[in-house]
Amino acid sequence: MSTNEVVYISAAAGGVGSFVVQLAKAAGNHVIGSTSRDEKIEYLRAIGCDRPINYKKEDIGAVLKKEYPGGVNIAYDTAGGTTSAALLII
């Protein structure tokens, strides 16, 4: 994993996702992570996620388009579905 990249991780508060969040952050990247609950948002912040997204309250695609107009350099998607679609259209 390179440094200074924008990295998006779905299911970021899960076992694998949280590990990837920490690896991406340790490598010097800006980390975006999606999850389903506010309690998990706090956990993501605690492990270094720069921009946690509660996909039940925020539209992933809209957040990415607005806050990351340059796009995402690396996407680690373990959720599929609408998460994958949002990544493909930015």
Side-chain angles (χ1 to χ4, degrees):
M1 193 174 296
S2 301
T3 60
N4 298 317
E5 303 284 358
V6 175
V7 180
Y8 173 85
I9 303 156
S10 69
V16 173
S18 62
F19 183 68
V20 177
V21 167
Q22 293 173 75
L23 284 176
K25 196 63 189 172
N29 297 295
H30 180 87
V31 180
I32 308 162
S34 65
T35 189
S36 62
R37 296 194 342 241
D38 288 339
E39 298 82 17
K40 292 180 180 182
I41 293 287
E42 296 308 316
Y43 170 69
L44 288 176
R45 285 189 178 114
I47 63 170
C49 185
D50 298 295
R51 179 49 166 104
I53 300 170
N54 180 336
Y55 66 82
K56 290 188 176 182
K57 293 184 173 182
E58 297 182 273
D59 179 87
I60 295 169
V63 169
L64 295 177
K65 282 183 182 180
K66 180 180 178 185
E67 297 180 26
Y68 302 94
V72 171
N73 302 106
I74 300 169
Y76 190 89
D77 181 22
T78 61
T82 57
T83 300
S84 293
L87 291 167
L88 292 172
I89 61 172
I90 59 168

